[in-house]
Amino acid sequence: MNLEFSEEEKAFRAEVREFIENNYPQDIGTRGVQDEMSREDLLAWHKILGKKGWSTPAWPKEYGGTDWTPTQRYIWGEENARMNTVMPLPFGVAMVAPVIYTFGNEEQKAQHLPGIRSGDVWWCQGYSEPGAGSDLASLKTTAVRDGDDYIINGQKTWTTLAQHADWGFFLCRTDPDAPKPQMGISFILVDMKTPGIEVRPIKLIDGGHEVNEVWLTDVRVPATNLIGEENKGWTYAKFLLAHERSGIAGVARSKRGVEQLKEIAAAEMLDGKPLIEDMGFAQKISQLEIDLSALEITELRTLAGEQAGKGPGPESSLLKVKGTEIQQRLTELTLEAVGHYGAPDFRSFPDDGSNDFPIGPDYAHHAAPTYFNMRKTSIYGGSNEIQRNIITKMILGL
Amino acid sequence: MDFDFTDEQNMVRDGISRLIREEYDFDTRRKVIASESGWRPELWAQLAELGMLAAPFSEEDGGFGGATEAMIIMEEFGKGLAVEPFIPSVVCAGGALKHGGSAAQREEYIGGIISGEMIFAFAYAEPRGRYDLANLETTAKADGGDYVINGHKAVVIGAPWATHLVVTARTSGGQTDKDGVSVFVVDKAAQGVSTRDYATVDGRRASEVYFENVKVSGDALIGEADNGLPLIEKVVDEATAAVCAEAVGAMKVTNETTVDYSRQRKQFGTPIGSFQVLQHSMADMLMEYEQSVSMCYLATIKLDEDDATRKKNVSAAKVRIGQAARFIGQSAIQTHGGMGMTDELAVGSYFKRLSIIESEFGSVDHHMRRHIALTAG
Ligand SMILES: Cc1cc2nc3c(=O)[nH]c(=O)nc-3n(C[C@H](O)[C@H](O)[C@H](O)COP(=O)(O)OP(=O)(O)OC[C@H]3O[C@@H](n4cnc5c(N)ncnc54)[C@H](O)[C@@H]3O)c2cc1C
Ligand SMILES: Cc1cc2nc3c(=O)[nH]c(=O)nc-3n(C[C@H](O)[C@H](O)[C@H](O)COP(=O)(O)OP(=O)(O)OC[C@H]3O[C@@H](n4cnc5c(N)ncnc54)[C@H](O)[C@@H]3O)c2cc1C
């Protein structure tokens, strides 16, 4: 047992920190919430990392990975969180790419991996449908083979940031007569500029636009866009979901969130003293920090297991549930901390182009919308109920 | 024991609930809160006509009821998520005037509130005061027989719609002294009053209100000079009970909506309401609601008792209801899955209102602290 980072790891941390400090574009990340950022803002850091070879640390070396150990990747995540960087979106780097390099053919690898690494191509995930959420296998969007093409018809929903996407990876039903719903589904890459695709915005309760409906009407895509074998898409989708979940604990970001919460609680006054000195509030912050340490060490244990060759298994469900609960709790406490100034809707303030909202302290403006928005984390990526079902079945064997 | 309402109270409930049902469907609300003014003055006129704006006042002030009537009305407001300024104008300003106003003030202003011609906002919170009612940087300096008010009030709900303000200010003493607090009526159009108006995240409208050498006559003082804190505390407790009632109404609809949704929404070939984990969550939501109803009644019943009893019970209710509001709001969204996150479904709006109610007139922590102070030792 040794929780200390090695000398090499410490040196690595120093190198990473220096790189971020010298290269992170200072004008992004401060401009507002993610859904208000432009595509350029969201991609800026990705592109810088792409040039450095650091945009895809977890990939195998042969496709442009870094060969970093899981611990190094963890340090990488921590340093980025410390600097509050806008990280590459997961859909390309962490989700579709592993599917492509694991199950795709050589042409597909050559066509798609470079654009994902460099940040030139934006991907979205077309899994969920209005009738298929938790029960993803019941999806209805069809892809029918017609000569060298598939013709896709159906409706996807909740497609995150599809409004900016160049490509999407879609699950489609290719065999409606398969004996089980999981069979007969295929994993198909779709150029979002193909005729017949319509992306319609969905407004969420925080007022932002980060998800969309995607309507597909007679969308003709080359059959060469199929990943792996026809009707085997479910296998690839499950593989991808395990990857999705392992990044979802968000320990490093939550640590940074706790620091911000403490700054707010130090600035807010209660009975003539900083709120952070109030025993009741201090206890809540400590509870959060304690839970976060427990999660951090649990994640490190999982990483150590991975380092020893054990792939991410059902324990990623544990990380997802505990991680999202902490993220949500953090937003609750932040809203509590800001008091009256949680109520004003900063989106209704006059937009005079400046960053200077004169109503209440700056840190209060996003407290309520963030609290509202973060309810999503226990719903998406497999809801927390579904994660508990997985733990029950896979770990407890019930 | 008697938890029944009088015939007259039942009539109030019937009247207000019909109005809200007929005039306040969710699409209408959506349009109203997005409109330029953000509310429905014509509905206010209807409320006045129906006598609703008179309901919490005693007969000698031209009304016919009290706190129970306010509770009934706010519960129905909560069911429809009505944004009209009943609490600021009728409960807060009306309360300050009925408990502290002179005969002349009551006649003029309560009459104006009841007829709907005067609309009040209650400017009591300050940017750095948190929930402490005595922590005032706003000052009112005596100047001959007049007062000169200077200061900044934060997140004054309904102020964009108001014709008048009830304002708390320090007339003597240090920033957090319990003595030296006074309450004034100020015409919003008075020289030196300015506002910055905005929407709130739960669909209402509010303002930052600034007072710059606003001169008011001695007649503007409500109650005794320097001894306004007990009056403000009473008014805020009444408003707290009213917002608890609003929460109860909102919780009821939230729970019903959630149960309905869980019956309709199918996953894995079965309604999601058949999953035990969701059933238990909805059972908890129901229990939270019932406990909230009880605490709302308790707080309302105790409003007229001695200060310590009133405060203790109001704080107990606000703690319990604040916690229930959070649990019910969050569980409702969770049970709705992705649909719960959308602006399109009403459940998101109920969640947002419940989230803001949690801290309105004092957060759970604030009221817990007050409860401890009143019950310890
Ligand atoms: C902000 C956001 C972004 C998203 N981004 C994407 C994206 O980019 N691409 C994509 O494909 N999808 C995306 N999703 C969709 C997401 O994966 C689904 O919302 C999620 O799988 C839940 O499905 P649902 O919304 O249909 O809820 P439902 O499946 O209808 O679930 C409703 C409730 O029932 C519960 N429930 C369902 N089944 C069970 C069960 N067996 N046992 C116990 N409880 C159960 C759920 O936990 C939930 O509480 C996103 C969703 C959100 C909210
Ligand atoms: C101190 C004590 C005093 C008692 N006194 C009396 C008495 O005077 N007379 C008498 O007749 N009995 C008495 N009982 C018995 C008591 O009624 C039973 O213990 C009780 O009904 C639970 O039954 P069980 O112990 O067989 O647990 P089980 O029924 O085996 O339950 C075990 C667990 O499974 C859960 N469970 C079972 N079914 C479901 C379901 N459908 N869904 C979800 N969860 C479920 C239970 O909630 C429990 O957590 C007493 C028990 C105790 C502990």
Side-chain angles (χ1 to χ4, degrees), chain B residues 11-86:
Chain B
M11 275 165 62
V12 169
R13 186 178 306 274
D14 290 348
I16 185 79
S17 93
R18 192 171 328 111
L19 188 70
I20 300 252
R21 242 189 353 261
E22 286 168 6
E23 300 280 328
Y24 233 111
D25 61 282
F26 190 68
D27 284 337
T28 309
R29 176 184 189 269
R30 187 199 299 283
K31 286 194 199 98
V32 169
I33 65 175
S35 70
E36 174 103 28
S37 71
W39 75 308
R40 298 172 70 190
E42 73 280 5
L43 192 91
W44 199 248
Q46 263 176 292
L47 286 167
E49 212 166 292
L50 279 171
M52 295 299 156
L53 306 183
F57 295 104
S58 66
E59 275 174 40
E60 55 172 343
D61 283 327
F64 57 88
T68 307
E69 283 71 13
M71 178 188 90
I72 290 170
I73 291 170
M74 282 316 296
E75 215 180 311
E76 301 302 314
F77 262 55
K79 290 182 191 165
L81 295 183
V83 298
E84 277 63 29
F86 192 86

